[in-house]
Amino acid sequence: MKSPNRNLLIGAILAFVLGLAACEQPLLYELDDYEAKWVLQGELIAREIPEVYITESETFYTYVARTILPTFVEDATVILVGNGLIDTLRSFSRVDTLRSNSVLDTVVQTVWGYRGTQKIVEGEQYSIEITGDGNLLTAETTVPRKGSLANFAVDTSGSLSTSGYI
C-alpha cells in the first residue's frame, strides 16, 4: 500500500515540473509606437552660471536593451529670462568616461549641454523656454535666498532629547 505522503510528494514534483515547462514559452507584447519626449535637467544656483541638459526620453524596453546612456539634444534654442535680462544659453560639449559594474567595461560618451552667460541672482524669478525639432519646453522658478545662521536657535523645551540634537 502506497503512503499518502508519497503520493502528495509525487504530485507536488509533477506540478512543479509542469509549472516550469509552462514558463518556457516566450511572451510577445504588441507595443504602441513610442514618441520620444524632451527631458530638461538643470539647476539654477545663486551666484553661478546656469547649465542645463536636454535628453530624449526612451521606452523601458529600449532603456534595458542597450547600455544606459542618454541621448542628448544638441541643437535646441534655450532662452533664460530673469532679473530683467534675457540670456540665450550656448551649447557646449564634453567627453565623459563612464564605468559600468565591471572594472573592465568603460564607455566614453559626449555630453551636450547649454550654458548661460549671466550669473543667477538669489530671490529672483526665472523662466526658461526651450525650442527645437517641433518641441517646446517651458519652466519657471524662483531662486531661494540663502539663509543665514547668525540668529539660528533650537528650542528644545518639549523635546524628549536632552542631547541637543534635533
Side-chain angles (χ1 to χ4, degrees), residues 111-127:
V111 175
W112 288 89
Y114 298 85
R115 185 177 294 132
T117 58
Q118 304 291 323
K119 289 188 177 182
I120 299 298
V121 177
E122 62 184 334
E124 293 293 321
Q125 183 173 357
Y126 288 87
S127 64

Side-chain angles (χ1 to χ4, degrees), residues 25-96:
Q25 299 299 322
L27 300 174
L28 300 176
Y29 292 101
E30 292 294 325
L31 299 175
D32 295 334
D33 288 338
Y34 177 79
E35 183 178 335
K37 307 255 188 286
W38 281 6
V39 178
L40 170 65
Q41 176 188 349
E43 294 178 295
L44 299 182
I45 301 172
R47 297 187 288 279
E48 292 189 19
I49 299 291
E51 279 187 11
V52 298
Y53 301 88
I54 307 164
T55 57
E56 290 186 355
S57 64
E58 298 181 9
T59 68
F60 173 78
Y61 297 102
T62 302
Y63 189 72
V64 169
R66 67 179 181 90
T67 306
I68 304 172
L69 295 175
T71 303
F72 287 91
V73 174
E74 306 170 23
D75 56 353
T77 300
V78 182
I79 299 172
L80 184 67
V81 178
N83 193 32
L85 300 171
I86 298 175
D87 192 2
T88 302
L89 281 61
R90 293 191 166 82
S91 65
F92 71 92
S93 65
R94 70 171 186 270
V95 175
D96 281 354

